[in-house]
Amino acid sequence: MSYLQNPATIVPSTVTPPRGRIALVGAGPGAADHLTLRAVRCLGQADVIYYDRLVEPEVLAFARPGAACIFVGKEVGAHSWPQARIDATIVAAALQGKRVVRLKSGDPSVFGRAAEEIAAARAHGIDIEIIPGVTAASAAAASLCQPLTQRGVTDRVVLATATCCTGEMPSQIGEIARPGTSLVFYMAMTQLRALSDQLIAAGVAPDQPVTVATNVSRANERSLTTTVAQLWQDCEAAKVRNPAVILIELAKPPEPQPGGISFAAQSASAAAVSAS
């Protein structure tokens, strides 16, 4: 029997302690002052905190004295903490009666594998909650002072991953790359050339502006503005690396004015009359 099927075997016990609970807490993209008050309170009550690779040390300072802080981070190609092991570990701690915090960068509900951890907790009758955090798209927009939506320009926001569970890109980029959309791609830095190709194939102009924001809200935060066609070359030249998000504003075409005359045509007509 695997540790996922019976998490209590990780720490065997001869007594049955009261059941604890699990909170999936969003730490935001970096800066500790992005934490919500609810997240701070939960960290201050936890018996054990299992935290991700991108969680800043300043965030862990909100843990109560005596709480165990255990690193369970994963990196590409280095999975000493595969998801199944994390699921089993947090469940085992809760079965011992502990108040468990699973601390994730960003928001647990946005590409945070929350679904697996919720399913593992519920399979063992453990109470679990999500405490939302500031996701990287919102933090990047705030840092750049660049709204994710603009009236008359963009009326929808799409948060997409550029790396599926198979390691490949989603194939239906054309379905989301529509005018009037603010596109934000997560986990895209290893897929930049393919992302550029698919966007152009979907009808996005090669000279469409793109902003890449990396290490958002951290001391080493930086951003790069480029185009869809030059995305991967410019990121490579500037040595832009993860963690990063890619923001693309696909503006709506200007709406024609009443009578079928555009504002630009009206302006040109008025200028011609003035000149005569």
Side-chain angles (χ1 to χ4, degrees), residues 35 38 44 53-54 57 68 70 77 123 149 166 170 177 195 203 210 252 266:
L35 284 170
R38 181 173 291 190
R53 177 175 61 91
L54 296 177
I70 300 171
T149 61
T166 59
L195 179 60
V210 177
K252 289 182 176 181
Q266 290 178 7

Side-chain angles (χ1 to χ4, degrees), residues 225-249:
T225 299
T226 180
T227 65
V228 167
Q230 288 294 122
L231 177 60
W232 71 269
Q233 297 101 318
D234 287 350
C235 284
E236 185 65 28
K239 294 182 169 53
V240 178
R241 299 289 184 265
N242 281 317
V245 288
I246 296 172
L247 299 93
I248 308 173
E249 182 184 84

Side-chain angles (χ1 to χ4, degrees), residues 29 34 134-144 216-217 221:
H34 274 316
V134 176
T135 191
S138 297
S143 179
L144 295 165
V216 176
S217 82
E221 177 181 6

Side-chain angles (χ1 to χ4, degrees), residues 21-23 25 42-43 46 48-51 99-103:
R21 58 183 294 111
I22 297 171
V25 177
C42 193
L43 289 169
V48 57
I49 298 169
Y50 296 97
Y51 65 96
R99 292 166 295 186
V100 178
V101 163
R102 174 72 174 98
L103 188 60

Side-chain angles (χ1 to χ4, degrees), residues 115-249:
E116 291 98 319
E117 292 165 6
I118 292 169
R122 287 178 174 168
H124 292 84
I126 297 167
D127 289 337
I128 187 166
E129 66 174 324
I130 293 177
I131 297 178
V134 176
T135 191
S138 297
S143 179
L144 295 165
C145 208
Q146 177 181 313
L148 287 174
T149 61
Q150 294 188 57
R151 185 173 59 177
V153 178
T154 51
D155 55 16
R156 69 184 70 88
V157 179
V158 175
L159 308 183
T161 176
T163 304
C164 296
C165 58
T166 59
E168 300 177 352
M169 283 196 58
S171 59
Q172 302 301 322
I173 294 291
E175 294 181 3
I176 60 175
R178 295 183 293 156
T181 305
S182 284
L183 278 174
V184 184
F185 286 100
Y186 290 62
M187 296 175 283
M189 297 310 293
T190 61
Q191 303 277 23
L192 294 181
R193 185 179 298 199
L195 179 60
S196 293
D197 291 344
Q198 288 205 23
L199 286 169
I200 292 171
V204 176
D207 62 352
Q208 165 68 43
V210 177
T211 300
V212 183
T214 182
N215 291 304
V216 176
S217 82
R218 301 167 188 263
N220 58 340
E221 177 181 6
R222 58 191 293 220
S223 64
L224 170 71
T225 299
T226 180
T227 65
V228 167
Q230 288 294 122
L231 177 60
W232 71 269
Q233 297 101 318
D234 287 350
C235 284
E236 185 65 28
K239 294 182 169 53
V240 178
R241 299 289 184 265
N242 281 317
V245 288
I246 296 172
L247 299 93
I248 308 173
E249 182 184 84

